[in-house]
Each structure stands twice: as structure tokens, then as C-alpha cells.
């Protein structure tokens, strides 16, 4: 029995002098940096991304083009105010209503399929197809038209922080982009 007491005193004595021995080994490593020299010869560094965060990377805000009709920016605001959180499968209907409400078009477009929107806007309402192939580079107020093989397609308006049709989204449609259309 005395041997057991001796061991207990030794363990208690060690814990009194070193109450948290494991914390002595814990340390935080600095975030790794990638160092490079930019075009002007200045040394720069950036944090190394070592984990995948799908929501961390944010696309840039849209640019406002002064050559585009300001009514299109108003149409984007109207569409954003009327949009829902999720799709109602009425994208072209909501975009038509926003264009009419903002005064961009005099009458309501007649096509039923969203993928036909670009052609009708060009032929009947004075829109032009912009030389833009990346939806993120589309100016605020521009109308983006997407195709689909067997479906109606999709139409949305570029806003400052994303895209809007019958719903709001931070990312553009995954469908193939047929064109970006705007009016001067």
C-alpha cells in the first residue's frame, strides 16, 4: 500500500508543477505565404489557399457602362425588387415586366421562350448584342440570354451584385450563354 501512495503523491506533485503539460507543445504555425515580384519589380505576397471553400471566392461587382441606356439600370432595380428567393420558372415573364415598367420597351415582347428573347430584343426594340462572353463582365442592366437544347432557356438581367429574373442569384445560369444584349 505505501508504494501506491508514493505513486499517487508523485502524480499529484507533477500535476501541481506542470498543470497543463500538453499546452506547452501546442503552437500555431504561421499562414504560408507565396512571394512573388510584380510587373513593376515590387515584392508582393499572397496567402496560400490550402482548403477548398466554395462560398469564399466572390465574383467582382458589375461595372456600370455610361453608354448603356440608364433605363436598363432601372429595369434591373425593378426586377430585383420583384424577384423571389427561388425560381418560379417565369424568368422571361419577369424580365419582360421589368423592361416595360422601366420604359426600356414600349410594348411587351411577344416571344414565349426565353432563348428567343435576344433575337426579339434586337429585331423589335433596338437592342444590340454586346461583345461579352463572360456573364460576370456584363454591364449593369444588360439582358443575358441562355440557350437550352430541349428547354425554354433562361433570361436574366445583370445587377451590381449578381443576376435577377424571377429570382435573385449571385451566380449566373449554368446554361450556355447565347448573348448579352443592351440598348444605347
Amino acid at each position: 500500500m505505501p508504494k501506491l501512495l508514493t505513486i499517487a503523491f508523485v502524480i499529484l506533485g507533477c500535476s501541481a508543477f506542470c498543470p497543463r503539460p500538453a499546452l506547452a507543445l501546442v503552437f500555431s504555425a504561421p499562414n504560408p505565404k507565396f512571394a512573388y515580384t510584380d510587373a513593376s519589380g515590387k515584392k508582393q505576397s499572397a496567402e496560400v489557399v490550402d482548403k477548398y471553400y466554395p462560398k469564399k471566392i466572390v465574383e467582382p461587382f458589375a461595372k456600370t457602362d455610361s453608354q448603356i441606356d440608364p433605363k436598363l439600370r432601372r429595369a434591373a432595380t425593378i426586377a430585383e425588387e420583384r424577384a423571389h428567393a427561388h425560381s418560379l420558372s417565369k424568368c422571361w415573364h419577369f424580365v419582360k415586366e421589368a423592361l416595360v415598367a422601366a420604359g426600356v420597351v414600349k410594348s411587351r415582347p411577344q416571344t414565349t421562350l426565353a432563348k428567343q428573347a435576344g433575337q426579339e430584343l434586337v429585331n423589335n426594340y433596338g437592342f444590340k448584342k454586346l461583345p461579352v462572353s463572360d456573364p460576370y463582365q456584363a454591364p449593369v442592366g444588360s439582358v443575358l440570354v441562355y440557350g437550352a437544347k430541349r428547354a425554354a432557356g433562361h433570361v436574366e438581367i445583370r445587377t451590381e451584385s449578381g443576376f435577377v429574373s424571377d429570382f435573385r442569384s449571385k451566380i449566373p445560369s449554368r446554361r450556355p450563354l447565347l448573348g448579352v444584349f443592351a440598348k444605347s
Side-chain angles (χ1 to χ4, degrees):
M1 202 62 149
K3 191 174 186 180
L4 187 57
L5 282 174
T6 308
I7 293 174
F9 282 121
V10 170
I11 291 173
L12 287 174
C14 287
S15 65
F17 292 113
C18 218
R20 291 184 267 174
L23 288 180
L25 299 176
V26 176
F27 62 93
S28 62
N31 290 341
K33 298 274 186 181
F34 175 74
Y36 63 97
T37 306
D38 65 10
S40 64
K42 191 174 178 183
K43 291 193 176 198
Q44 302 283 339
S45 67
E47 188 177 325
V48 174
V49 177
D50 59 350
K51 290 187 173 76
Y52 174 68
Y53 297 104
K55 301 288 183 188
K56 189 174 184 178
I57 297 173
V58 178
E59 292 297 331
F61 287 112
K63 294 183 176 107
T64 304
D65 189 348
S66 61
Q67 295 180 352
I68 291 179
D69 187 350
K71 292 179 184 173
L72 281 169
R73 288 194 300 275
R74 177 72 183 129
T77 304
I78 291 170
E80 212 166 18
E81 290 169 355
R82 297 177 179 179
H84 297 271
H86 301 285
S87 176
L88 302 174
S89 298
K90 294 183 178 185
C91 60
W92 185 211
H93 173 79
F94 274 69
V95 170
K96 286 180 195 180
E97 293 299 324
L99 293 173
V100 170
V104 178
V105 295
K106 300 272 188 244
S107 63
R108 197 171 189 282
Q110 298 301 310
T111 54
T112 55
L113 299 179
K115 61 186 173 184
Q116 298 168 337
Q119 196 61 39
E120 183 177 14
L121 291 173
V122 168
N123 292 341
N124 302 337
Y125 298 101
F127 278 71
K128 292 183 180 159
K129 187 174 181 180
L130 302 178
V132 176
S133 58
D134 179 12
Y136 289 108
Q137 299 302 317
V140 175
S142 58
V143 178
L144 290 84
V145 180
Y146 300 90
K149 289 182 182 177
R150 295 188 182 108
H154 182 64
V155 175
E156 57 194 11
I157 299 176
R158 181 68 162 121
T159 63
E160 280 189 28
S161 60
F163 305 86
V164 66
S165 55
D166 56 335
F167 67 99
R168 287 179 288 285
S169 177
K170 295 281 184 197
I171 59 171
S173 175
R174 293 185 201 150
R175 295 174 181 89
L177 181 66
L178 297 178
V180 178
F181 301 89
K183 197 173 179 179
S184 309

